[in-house]
Amino acid sequence: MSVLTGALGSLAPKLLKLLYGEYKLQKDVRKQVQWLHSELESIHTLLRRVANEPWDRLDEQVKVWAREVREASYDLEDVLDTFLVRVDGGEPADPSRLRRAMKNMGKVFTKAKARHDIAGAIDDIKKHLHEVAERRQKYKLDEMIMSKSITSASTIDPRLTAMYKEVSQLIGVDKSGDELISMLNLSQPDDDAPDKKTMKKVSIVGVGGLGKTTLAKAVYDKLKSQYDCGAFVSVGRDHDLVKVFKDILFDLDKIRYDNIHNTGRGVDLLIREVREFLENKRYFIVIDDVWEVRTWDTIKLALVEKNRGSKVITTTRKFNVAEEAGEVYKLKPLSFDDSTKLFYTRIFGADKKYLDNQPNDVSDKILKKCAGIPLAIITMTSLLAGKPECEWSMVYNSIGFHTTDNREAEDTMTILSFSYYDLPPHLRTCLLYLSTYPEDYLIRKDSLIRKWIAEGFIDGKQGTRLFELGERYFNDLINRSLIQPVENEWNGRVESCRVHDMVLDLMRKLSSDENFIAILGDNVEGTPAPSCVRRLANQNRIAEHINSETMVTGMPKVRSYTAFECFIDSRDQFLRFKLLRVLDIVYCRFEKGCHLEHLGDLLHLRYLRIRFHGSSLELPIQLGNLKLLQTLDVGGTLPASIVHLTELVRLCAEEKVPDGIGKLVSLEELSIEYVAKRFFKELASLRELRVLEFYLSDGADESMQRDFVESLSNMQKLQRLDVVDSSWDADTTMWEAAGFVLPRPLHYLSLPVIQFSKLPLCINPTRLPNLAHLDLSVTTMDEQDLELLARLPALCYLRLLTYSTATVSNINAGDGCFFQKLRYFETSATVQFEQPNEEDTSVSLHMWNGEDAMPFASRKGYDSRKAVPSGVMPNLEVLDFVVCLRALKGNYSDYCGNIGLEYLPSLRELRWKIISRGMPATETDAAFGALRDACNVHPNHPTFRMQHIY
């Protein structure tokens, strides 16, 4: 499935199934199916060639033909799928023999009618394809496509203007320019420094419009006079390497190579000529706008690496190219102050002080939309220029970057479109799908990938899990700077993404042009007629009423419907889209409640999510009819029939899951609440699970725990395990005797409700090298246990509840292995960090139970300001612990002032739970003051939060 080829890629196997399956098609229908198969194979071959060309420069006749074929492919797939689900789709087993017999009799008539219906539908599609084929022949499209004469001439790159601006006109370049110069090792005061003699390569990476070319040109103009020669050459998406090398030679010496572009030299000779010219020279070269690693690999062959201090800067939108081209400089968006300055300078002119024009709410909204992207700010100011400020709000609310004929807005879309058209067809499709989401929406990675799969955008090879392939697609879009990754705050894993407003506007425009996604209320020019809409998004977040009756009856071909936080005035409007593959209702409100009696009629559904504001859903037993369902994410009571959904890969629910969950052997994600006793035994069948989250309200007896441990041993692909809101007393010895072993891929483990008697042996660096998040409750721990946790190589988040009364670890800071990645540490114990003396390079981490404190470990009088060791937890940002003042036996003030915060160089927040039962308020205040003072003298001045427990 792709934007250009539609459903062509999925039709061949379905047509073959129709031909060779036991469907008893009439002879003339079989001939038509064979003709369709041959015709569509021929068309698909041509369209794949077209898909690899820049769509923005395709011949218009080719575009018209491609669109007609694409729409016909969707229609044919709808016909085939409808036939197959009617004939192949069974129903849950019925205990009544009579009723079952009657249903079987009914199926005979159903299949006969289905064969009659598909015969007529195929005949109609064949006639339509004949008409399309005649036009294809009339305009000789085959010859045009095969000869690659299907594209028009390239347009002038609008980014050229950035290369010829005076530095004095640029805003926000000074700071980034200084950082770039520093990376080039040009900030060294000594010209004879070794770093200044070695060749240095730096690559600037960032999204289109961020100002990479502008920055590179500013630094080049500032420094080029210090070198024997220099060149500034742009490569571009549709580059010609012969021209690139000729441009380099011409820039290096315009007199010597004034006629170089008229010569017929090839790449090999040009590389040799560049190398000979640079052999004994100190040069500064900028290679702007590199799109592919292989392009850079060829260009760098010409760059002579001598000990003369030459410098090379590259710019690119792709992170993998930047990594190959040199040390990476990730260009940041403009600060708010610089964004404001650029905004007002562009509107009122450089000769006026922008500070005289006080920012207002509208300008703040505009700058937020632009998110520090200079190109976006310039575009918005061009739309506002000449308009009084009282009209800015109207302009902001009524337009996007793509909804105007403004030249700079058009240039913005052109610049961004370079990145889009550089994508392979499958990634173009996945990116366009993001136009489903509203502005600034936090898009969950897992949910997005599941929707891609349900839509058929991910074509997995044998042996490759579709979700893993989807993750590659997601990461590739990040690598190309087209989506903005959003990391988990503590473990650094990318779990979500956002789309910049400029990119989103472009996606909406392209989606509308290609009839890919229609957005309710969107007034994009060229929006397809309702009868042609295939994917529909309702982003009505202002809770306006929609004429749902008209919407539904006028859109018979909708296969994807998504509604975000909107008001739905008809209780079953989405249940009338009989071809739906994806139904995603995200926290909407219903005028008369959400009634789902006909949900079981949506036999094509692959993805179903219904989360809304209001009372719990009552899901019908007919849900079991949805044999193709892959994702089920609902906030309601699940019927017993869900155990018949054998294709289910993801199941998320807030109510009790019925018995029989073990039949769903394809499950990869299971997130449920209120599990029953039988659940733990059935888990043993779910060998494909990679995510397991559940809630158990009444705890677990020994037999349930044993079943759970035995089931875990079968889940060798598990990556996330989260057990919440219950309380188990786990005998660690019994668990280990039952075979408690955690799978190696595990990266998230949260078992705070399970009280282990001691640290399980399987939690160690060898067994769990990927563990980044750990939430654990252990009654007693010793020094060896703490060292095992400290050596977990990927651990970023640790919440450790322990009742140990004496846990001390002396840690050698020099070995670099102790909590090196930890960013968040919460413990129920009292902690202290200490360096024994000036000569000793070790740091001690003391932990003791708050109620029974160990004797206070005092300082040895060493002044830490002289030489602070790198020590334990070098990346720790948040420390959360407990102190019982009474247990400190009068040393509370001394302890609070000497906790050892100076050994935590990255600390930015200290959370302190103080137990002061029976202590005078004056002593509590003194302890608080001492700890506050310790925070104040820390270089980062971490914030201090105290929770008082009386």
Side-chain angles (χ1 to χ4, degrees):
M1 190 76 66
S2 79
V3 177
L4 183 63
T5 62
L8 280 173
S10 63
L11 286 178
K14 292 179 181 179
L15 288 169
L16 290 175
K17 182 178 181 180
L18 204 62
L19 276 175
Y20 300 110
E22 297 180 0
Y23 298 109
K24 299 179 182 178
L25 297 179
Q26 295 176 351
K27 188 175 182 180
D28 59 333
V29 177
R30 290 178 59 83
K31 285 184 178 179
Q32 289 180 326
V33 172
Q34 287 174 329
W35 182 88
L36 283 175
H37 184 267
S38 299
E39 179 69 9
L40 292 174
E41 274 197 332
S42 171
I43 292 173
H44 199 199
T45 300
L46 280 178
L47 268 186
R48 281 199 301 265
R49 284 180 174 268
V50 173
N52 290 322
E53 299 297 327
W55 181 253
D56 53 333
R57 299 205 299 273
L58 282 179
D59 182 271
E60 283 303 316
Q61 192 59 49
V62 173
K63 289 183 180 181
V64 170
W65 170 76
R67 286 168 181 152
E68 286 187 322
V69 170
R70 179 187 62 214
E71 295 305 313
S73 75
Y74 280 131
D75 289 339
L76 181 54
E77 185 181 48
D78 289 342
V79 168
L80 293 177
D81 284 350
T82 300
F83 174 78
L84 292 173
V85 298
R86 288 173 66 184
V87 175
D88 293 341
E91 295 183 9
D94 192 323
S96 167
R97 291 186 180 181
L98 178 60
R99 290 172 64 189
R100 187 165 61 247
M102 292 181 68
K103 284 183 179 179
N104 288 336
M105 188 178 298
K107 288 179 183 178
V108 174
F109 293 108
T110 300
K111 290 182 180 180
K113 187 176 186 306
R115 284 193 291 269
H116 179 269
D117 291 345
I118 196 174
I122 285 178
D123 187 56
D124 291 341
I125 292 173
K126 181 182 176 183
K127 290 177 182 177
H128 179 59
L129 283 179
H130 266 304
E131 296 173 2
V132 174
E134 288 174 1
R135 280 193 289 275
R136 170 179 159 192
Q137 187 174 5
K138 176 182 177 181
Y139 294 106
K140 299 181 180 180
L141 298 184
D142 290 36
E143 297 176 17
M144 187 185 300
I145 293 169
M146 298 302 288
S147 65
K148 292 209 170 185
S149 59
I150 56 177
T151 58
S152 59
S154 300
T155 56
I156 296 174
D157 192 335
R159 292 167 300 173
L160 288 174
T161 56
M163 295 176 57
Y164 299 100
K165 287 184 178 179
E166 296 293 330
V167 176
S168 59
Q169 292 180 269
L170 306 176
I171 294 175
V173 168
D174 290 345
K175 181 180 178 182
S176 52
D178 290 343
E179 292 173 347
L180 185 59
I181 289 172
S182 178
M183 289 182 68
L184 289 168
N185 293 328
L186 292 173
S187 60
Q188 304 279 350
D190 184 4
D191 287 338
D192 294 325
D195 284 347
K196 283 201 138 187
K197 292 185 176 181
T198 57
M199 180 178 176
K200 183 72 174 182
K201 299 190 288 287
V202 175
S203 187
I204 308 170
V205 65
V207 69
L210 193 57
K212 301 181 296 297
T213 300
T214 303
L215 172 62
K217 188 66 166 58
V219 171
Y220 176 76
D221 289 342
K222 183 176 182 178
L223 301 177
K224 64 182 179 181
S225 61
Q226 302 176 20
Y227 294 82
D228 299 336
C229 58
F232 190 108
V233 175
S234 186
V235 178
R237 178 166 58 100
D238 304 316
H239 62 271
D240 175 357
L241 277 176
V242 169
K243 182 179 183 305
V244 169
F245 285 117
K246 287 180 178 180
D247 288 347
I248 291 174
L249 287 168
F250 181 76
D251 250 20
L252 289 172
D253 193 330
K254 291 180 175 58
I255 296 175
R256 181 174 173 180
Y257 295 108
D258 67 326
N259 198 43
I260 188 66
H261 290 94
N262 296 323
T263 65
R265 300 174 197 175
V267 170
D268 290 347
L269 285 175
L270 290 169
I271 290 175
R272 191 180 309 167
E273 183 125 16
V274 174
R275 290 186 63 87
E276 289 175 357
F277 184 88
L278 298 176
E279 182 65 32
N280 296 308
K281 294 183 177 63
R282 185 170 181 263
Y283 59 86
F284 186 10
I285 293 178
V286 177
I287 308 296
D288 181 47
D289 200 25
V290 184
W291 287 78
E292 299 295 339
V293 170
R294 63 175 179 270
T295 302
W296 167 250
D297 286 342
T298 304
I299 293 174
K300 73 179 182 181
L301 295 175
L303 306 178
V304 180
E305 295 201 31
K306 293 290 184 179
N307 230 9
R308 300 183 63 87
S310 297
K311 311 297 177 189
V312 176
I313 293 176
T314 55
T315 73
T316 181
R317 302 185 188 194
K318 299 182 180 180
F319 196 79
N320 64 327
V321 174
E323 288 182 313
E324 290 293 326
E327 188 177 347
V328 177
Y329 178 70
K330 191 171 182 180
L331 185 57
K332 300 179 184 67
L334 294 179
S335 67
F336 184 79
D337 286 345
D338 282 338
S339 296
T340 305
K341 184 176 181 180
L342 176 60
F343 179 79
Y344 281 103
T345 299
R346 290 282 302 186
I347 290 180
F348 298 110
D351 57 328
K352 295 190 177 183
K353 294 182 179 180
Y354 80 95
L355 290 176
D356 293 340
N357 301 280
Q358 294 299 322
N360 54 38
D361 291 341
V362 178
S363 63
D364 285 350
K365 287 181 181 178
I366 293 170
L367 291 174
K368 181 178 180 295
K369 182 181 179 72
C370 296
I373 306 294
L375 185 63
I377 297 170
I378 291 169
T379 301
M380 289 302 297
T381 55
S382 70
L383 301 176
L384 298 171
K387 294 181 173 63
E389 291 187 44
C390 61
E391 295 182 12
W392 287 7
S393 181
M394 181 180 64
V395 174
Y396 172 80
N397 291 327
S398 63
I399 64 172
F401 292 110
H402 63 277
T403 57
T404 175
D405 294 330
N406 178 279
R407 181 184 63 80
E408 288 184 306
E410 185 179 337
D411 286 349
T412 298
M413 291 296 101
T414 301
I415 291 170
L416 289 176
S417 70
F418 293 158
S419 290
Y420 172 75
Y421 291 120
D422 178 65
L423 294 172
H426 65 277
L427 287 184
R428 290 187 205 174
T429 307
C430 291
L431 181 63
L432 277 198
Y433 196 73
L434 295 175
S435 61
T436 304
Y437 297 90
E439 288 184 5
D440 301 322
Y441 196 83
L442 184 66
I443 304 169
R444 296 285 300 177
K445 179 184 76 171
D446 288 12
S447 177
L448 175 63
I449 293 174
R450 292 295 178 201
K451 290 169 79 171
W452 284 347
I453 294 171
E455 292 273 8
F457 300 158
I458 300 176
D459 181 21
K461 306 291 188 294
Q462 188 173 4
T464 303
R465 287 180 59 245
L466 291 181
F467 190 86
E468 291 175 353
L469 196 55
E471 286 185 306
R472 293 183 204 170
Y473 291 3
F474 185 87
N475 293 335
D476 206 352
L477 291 176
I478 291 174
N479 172 54
R480 293 168 181 264
S481 303
L482 285 167
I483 60 178
Q484 302 165 341
V486 179
E487 296 181 349
N488 179 289
E489 183 180 8
W490 302 120
N491 63 30
R493 297 179 70 88
V494 175
E495 297 177 346
S496 306
C497 73
R498 281 193 170 92
V499 185
H500 191 279
D501 285 354
M502 286 195 308
V503 177
L504 185 60
D505 278 342
L506 176 64
M507 296 305 102
R508 286 179 176 174
K509 174 66 165 59
L510 295 172
S511 289
S512 178
D513 288 346
E514 300 309 319
N515 188 24
F516 188 67
I517 292 172
I519 300 172
L520 282 174
D522 201 346
N523 296 317
V524 178
E525 184 180 348
T527 299
S531 60
C532 298
V533 170
R534 307 281 180 182
R535 298 175 185 87
L536 182 64
N538 183 355
Q539 298 176 1
N540 176 26
R541 305 177 75 178
I542 310 176
E544 296 174 350
H545 285 252
I546 296 167
N547 189 335
S548 56
E549 195 71 31
T550 302
M551 179 190 79
V552 173
T553 56
M555 298 182 177
K557 298 180 180 180
V558 173
R559 54 172 55 200
S560 173
Y561 177 63
T562 305
F564 293 94
E565 301 179 23
C566 60
F567 184 90
I568 299 177
D569 64 351
S570 176
R571 65 185 186 179
D572 61 353
Q573 63 174 6
F574 45 82
L575 299 182
R576 305 187 198 180
F577 295 128
K578 299 304 180 184
L579 297 175
L580 275 183
R581 275 116 171 117
V582 170
L583 176 57
D584 195 7
I585 308 297
V586 187
Y587 296 111
C588 295
R589 295 185 182 275
F590 295 83
E591 183 184 36
K592 300 175 182 177
C594 185
H595 299 273
L596 304 172
E597 292 88 348
H598 304 294
L599 185 63
D601 296 336
L602 304 180
L603 300 178
H604 299 271
L605 267 185
R606 272 82 166 170
Y607 183 101
L608 173 61
R609 178 170 64 161
I610 304 180
R611 300 279 181 173
F612 75 107
H613 297 289
S615 59
S616 181
L617 292 171
E618 188 70 33
L619 296 168
I621 191 172
Q622 291 82 6
L623 188 69
N625 295 346
L626 308 181
K627 299 296 187 181
L628 301 177
L629 199 62
Q630 301 164 353
T631 293
L632 177 58
D633 185 347
V634 292
T637 304
L638 297 173
S641 58
I642 68 158
V643 299
H644 299 285
L645 304 178
T646 55
E647 297 295 315
L648 210 58
V649 175
R650 181 171 188 255
L651 174 60
C652 299
E654 294 177 355
E655 301 291 340
K656 185 177 179 180
V657 172
D659 289 343
I661 197 76
K663 295 179 182 179
L664 305 179
V665 295
S666 297
L667 276 181
E668 296 177 8
E669 296 184 42
L670 180 58
S671 179
I672 53 176
E673 297 188 13
Y674 306 109
V675 298
K677 181 174 181 179
R678 183 175 171 76
F679 168 79
F680 295 104
K681 193 173 240 357
E682 291 190 281
L683 278 177
S685 303
L686 307 182
R687 297 174 178 268
E688 297 298 316
L689 276 184
R690 64 182 195 87
V691 175
L692 175 59
E693 301 171 333
F694 64 88
Y695 166 77
L696 186 66
S697 58
D698 300 323
D701 59 30
E702 186 172 324
S703 66
M704 294 166 67
Q705 293 186 39
R706 194 179 302 277
D707 288 342
F708 179 54
V709 170
E710 291 174 357
S711 295
L712 276 178
S713 65
N714 290 336
M715 302 177 196
Q716 293 305 307
K717 299 179 180 180
L718 199 65
Q719 298 177 18
R720 181 185 179 103
L721 176 59
D722 192 354
V723 182
V724 295
D725 291 336
S726 187
S727 181
W728 309 5
D729 288 323
D731 183 346
T732 314
T733 304
M734 184 277 287
W735 276 51
E736 290 173 349
F740 179 51
V741 176
L742 292 167
R744 189 177 180 83
L746 200 69
H747 67 75
Y748 186 106
L749 178 61
S750 181
L751 302 174
V753 300
I754 302 178
Q755 184 68 44
F756 289 101
S757 54
K758 63 185 183 66
L759 186 72
L761 294 175
C762 60
I763 300 180
N764 65 71
T766 304
R767 180 69 195 177
L768 300 175
N770 303 307
L771 191 63
H773 181 113
L774 178 60
D775 191 345
L776 203 64
S777 182
V778 183
T779 303
T780 59
M781 290 187 65
D782 57 23
E783 181 175 357
Q784 184 179 4
D785 291 337
L786 189 58
E787 283 204 21
L788 286 174
L789 295 181
R791 292 184 183 276
L792 288 168
L795 191 64
C796 299
Y797 178 104
L798 175 61
R799 182 171 180 262
L800 180 63
L801 305 180
T802 180
Y803 296 94
S804 298
T805 56
T807 303
V808 180
S809 180
N810 292 314
I811 300 172
N812 187 343
D815 63 12
C817 295
F818 285 83
F819 294 116
Q820 287 298 293
K821 291 189 177 181
L822 197 66
R823 295 162 67 178
Y824 180 100
F825 179 36
E826 178 182 350
T827 178
S828 60
T830 301
V831 299
Q832 183 186 30
F833 303 89
E834 181 184 30
Q835 183 181 8
N837 55 61
E838 186 172 359
E839 290 76 23
D840 198 340
T841 60
S842 68
V843 174
S844 296
L845 167 58
H846 300 270
M847 294 177 58
W848 58 82
N849 178 264
E851 295 291 346
D852 299 305
M854 292 186 61
F856 174 64
S858 61
R859 283 286 181 276
K860 299 290 192 295
Y862 173 53
D863 186 353
S864 62
R865 290 171 296 182
K866 294 179 181 176
V868 178
S870 56
V872 181
M873 305 182 186
N875 294 300
L876 190 72
E877 297 178 17
V878 175
L879 175 62
D880 187 329
F881 64 103
V882 175
V883 171
C884 177
L885 291 186
R886 180 175 293 278
L888 290 173
K889 299 179 176 62
N891 288 321
Y892 50 84
S893 184
D894 192 14
Y895 164 78
C896 292
N898 293 284
I899 191 175
L901 298 185
E902 64 269 28
Y903 301 124
L904 305 175
S906 301
L907 191 69
R908 59 180 176 84
E909 186 174 341
L910 186 68
R911 301 174 185 175
W912 190 38
K913 300 181 183 72
I914 179 172
I915 302 173
S916 60
R917 284 190 294 267
M919 297 294 292
T922 54
E923 297 186 5
T924 302
D925 292 343
F928 173 80
L931 195 54
R932 183 185 55 205
D933 291 342
C935 289
N936 289 337
V937 299
H938 190 283
N940 298 340
H941 304 295
T943 58
F944 179 38
R945 298 182 182 180
M946 182 179 73
Q947 179 183 351
H948 209 147
I949 304 173
Y950 293 97

